[in-house]
Amino acid sequence: MEISYSASNKSDNSSNQIITILDVDVSNDDIRLLYKFVLCMPTFSSSNNSSRNEDTVKQNLEVAKYLQRIMELEEQLQVANRTIDELNSKLGEVTINNSRLSDNLKEKSKDLYTKCVENDEFMVYYTRFSNHSFQTMFEALLPVKEHNNCALDLRRQFLVMLLKIAHNFGFRDLAIRFNVSRYTVSDYFHKWIGIVHDRFFSKVIFWPTKESLLKTMPMCFRGGEFENTTAIWDCFEIQTDTPHTPSDQAGSFSYYKQRPTDKILISITPQGTVNFVSNGFCGRVSDKQVVIESNILDKLQHGDLILADRGFPLEEVVATRGAKFKVPAFIKDKKQLSEQETEETRRIANVRIHVERVIGAIRTRFKILKGPININFLKNVEVDKSFVGKIVKVCCIFSNLLPSVVPLD
């Protein structure tokens, strides 16, 4: 059987005719050439095979259609790939933004304790102590009983107490900061004030020996009349809420402050450390009575020198203990002090001022002592011991653990 190939011009005419007859949409030049190539494929010359030739042409046209479809799909695939690349690029940008937002959310969702632990500057601002000091104090207070249903862990409870005494934040404020109830914060505050007082007070607030005082005596006390100074005394008053009953109002009213107060006697060493803190007394009680009832006189030894303000007329009482007592001179009925009395008063004031500096530093560091103190804190938690007295003692404990305000040189 002979096989013949159509001439090119004939092929062009016949292909165009067949494309028109078959109603095939061929718009692409490359596809049109493909059609022509398919139609120029070998055909049988026998007349008996004319119908077969037509079938072959139809089959070839179908193949061309499929090829055209493949090329269209490839073009669509390229477009889809470009779209995918663009979406992947946008997805990368979105992922980066989500990561940043997630980091910001994590940072904002951190509670105050976590922020303080991660930033020592925050810890010092909120607690007055460095992160290392905070952890050291906490570990020294262990073990502490903890219930299974505590809303905060022990370290956060300890932080709550420090925040309260350092900044005097309200219980509701602290409750919002730590996402607990106001009553829970109050319970933690009372709990940790008691723990710190019971475990640290006798170890941090104590009456040192004369030998240890002389070894570290500041220069302003050495080589003169104040070299044997053992303690400097002063009373300070904390404003309280007005009591409910008239008798309590009268008892707590301070004529010096002209408001209800709680009075505490503080004694410091020449080095500026607190060595005695009395319990709280009503503001109406005199300084002399506070000294006598606080039992600080039992601490005195023969040869001790005590410095105080004019409000402590205790020379005779202190002398019975074999100690000396120096206060600035009184004018009394005189118009003015003599030159000698003025000079002595100046010398006493220069060294006695340290107790006022220490009290001022304690008030500044622990703002809860600036008052007013909640009326509920005035209630006795033990015999003759009010809760406000424990708060003052805890503040003095922490003050002794911080650098002294009295220079040693």
Side-chain angles (χ1 to χ4, degrees):
M1 181 179 298
E2 291 184 357
I3 300 176
S4 63
Y5 294 89
S6 302
S8 60
N9 57 351
K10 183 179 179 181
S11 175
D12 290 340
N13 294 332
S14 60
S15 62
N16 289 332
Q17 292 175 1
I18 295 175
I19 290 171
T20 303
I21 294 171
L22 294 176
D23 192 21
V24 178
D25 182 14
V26 181
S27 58
N28 190 296
D29 292 338
D30 294 334
I31 302 301
R32 180 177 290 276
L33 291 175
L34 182 60
Y35 273 105
K36 291 180 180 181
F37 172 75
V38 172
L39 294 175
C40 289
M41 292 179 66
T43 58
F44 294 97
S45 61
S46 173
S47 59
N48 296 331
N49 295 323
S50 59
S51 61
R52 184 178 299 177
N53 291 338
E54 293 178 1
D55 293 338
T56 301
V57 171
K58 291 180 179 180
Q59 292 176 359
N60 291 340
L61 287 174
E62 291 294 327
V63 172
K65 290 180 181 180
Y66 286 125
L67 291 175
Q68 180 189 19
R69 181 59 179 163
I70 290 173
M71 294 182 69
E72 291 175 353
L73 292 175
E74 287 180 349
E75 290 180 357
Q76 294 176 6
L77 180 61
Q78 291 177 359
V79 174
N81 286 334
R82 287 195 296 269
T83 304
I84 290 173
D85 291 339
E86 294 175 358
L87 293 175
N88 283 334
S89 177
K90 292 181 180 180
L91 179 61
E93 295 177 359
V94 172
T95 302
I96 293 174
N97 291 335
N98 285 343
S99 178
R100 291 174 181 172
L101 291 173
S102 178
D103 293 341
N104 292 337
L105 182 60
K106 288 180 181 179
E107 185 67 26
K108 291 181 179 180
S109 63
K110 290 178 181 177
D111 66 355
L112 186 56
Y113 173 76
T114 304
K115 292 180 180 179
C116 289
V117 169
E118 295 177 354
N119 190 322
D120 202 57
E121 185 178 348
F122 286 178
M123 183 66 81
V124 172
Y125 171 76
Y126 282 107
T127 69
R128 312 307 186 209
F129 294 96
S130 66
N131 200 350
H132 176 73
S133 299
F134 176 90
Q135 302 298 340
T136 301
M137 289 190 301
F138 174 77
E139 292 173 3
L141 293 169
L142 297 177
V144 176
K145 292 183 179 180
E146 184 178 15
H147 301 292
N148 295 329
N149 58 348
C150 286
L152 298 177
D153 60 35
L154 293 177
R155 281 182 169 82
R156 285 173 172 79
Q157 295 177 26
F158 183 48
L159 178 63
V160 165
M161 183 271 295
L162 284 173
L163 290 174
K164 178 62 179 176
I165 65 173
H167 296 274
N168 200 21
F169 294 140
F171 286 146
R172 190 177 298 279
D173 183 351
L174 293 171
I176 294 173
R177 291 173 186 265
F178 289 91
N179 195 28
V180 294
S181 72
R182 182 167 59 90
Y183 303 103
T184 299
V185 170
S186 177
D187 289 343
Y188 289 155
F189 177 66
H190 283 76
K191 167 186 173 181
W192 281 92
I193 286 291
I195 292 174
V196 174
H197 175 273
D198 295 344
R199 301 193 182 180
F200 277 176
F201 184 73
S202 61
K203 298 178 181 178
V204 179
I205 308 293
F206 60 91
W207 199 274
T209 62
K210 290 183 181 180
E211 292 76 12
S212 62
L213 289 176
L214 290 173
K215 288 180 181 179
T216 58
M217 187 70 71
M219 294 301 298
C220 60
F221 288 88
R222 292 187 179 184
E225 58 185 317
F226 305 112
E227 189 169 13
N228 292 323
T229 302
T230 303
I232 309 172
W233 296 351
D234 199 5
C235 285
F236 78 98
E237 299 180 55
I238 308 173
Q239 181 181 355
T240 65
D241 289 339
T242 304
H244 300 300
T245 63
S247 59
D248 290 339
Q249 292 175 10
S252 63
F253 186 80
S254 169
Y255 290 102
Y256 177 67
K257 295 290 185 180
Q258 289 296 302
R259 57 177 177 259
T261 63
D262 203 64
K263 182 177 289 188
I264 295 97
L265 170 67
I266 283 187
S267 171
I268 70 165
T269 65
Q271 289 79 359
T273 58
V274 179
N275 62 352
F276 183 86
V277 186
S278 73
N279 296 322
F281 291 84
C282 294
R284 191 176 182 178
V285 179
S286 67
D287 293 351
K288 180 178 180 179
Q289 186 177 353
V290 170
V291 170
I292 295 173
E293 294 187 11
S294 67
N295 298 323
I296 192 175
L297 296 173
D298 296 337
K299 303 284 186 180
L300 301 183
Q301 297 179 1
H302 184 78
D304 286 348
L305 174 60
I306 308 299
L307 304 179
D309 198 5
R310 295 186 180 92
F312 294 86
L314 297 166
E315 291 87 347
E316 296 180 0
V317 177
V318 172
T320 61
R321 308 286 175 140
K324 297 180 180 180
F325 194 77
K326 280 194 174 186
V327 296
F330 289 88
I331 295 180
K332 294 183 179 179
D333 298 332
K334 297 179 291 185
K335 293 183 179 180
Q336 63 181 15
L337 298 176
S338 65
E339 183 178 350
Q340 181 180 358
E341 290 174 333
T342 302
E343 179 61 23
E344 183 181 8
T345 298
R346 185 189 64 80
R347 293 197 306 270
I348 295 175
N350 285 340
V351 290
R352 198 200 67 81
I353 193 67
H354 293 315
V355 69
E356 296 181 4
R357 295 179 62 195
V358 170
I359 293 174
I362 296 174
R363 285 180 180 271
T364 301
R365 289 167 173 169
F366 305 104
K367 291 183 173 56
I368 193 172
L369 299 185
K370 291 186 176 182
I373 294 293
N374 191 303
I375 193 68
N376 294 322
F377 292 171
L378 300 177
K379 298 178 180 178
N380 287 348
V381 290
E382 298 177 22
V383 178
D384 296 330
K385 289 185 179 181
S386 64
F387 185 67
V388 66
K390 280 194 171 184
I391 293 176
V392 175
K393 291 178 181 179
V394 167
C395 292
C396 291
I397 289 170
F398 288 136
S399 178
N400 274 6
L401 299 177
L402 291 168
S404 175
V405 297
V406 177
L408 296 180
D409 53 2

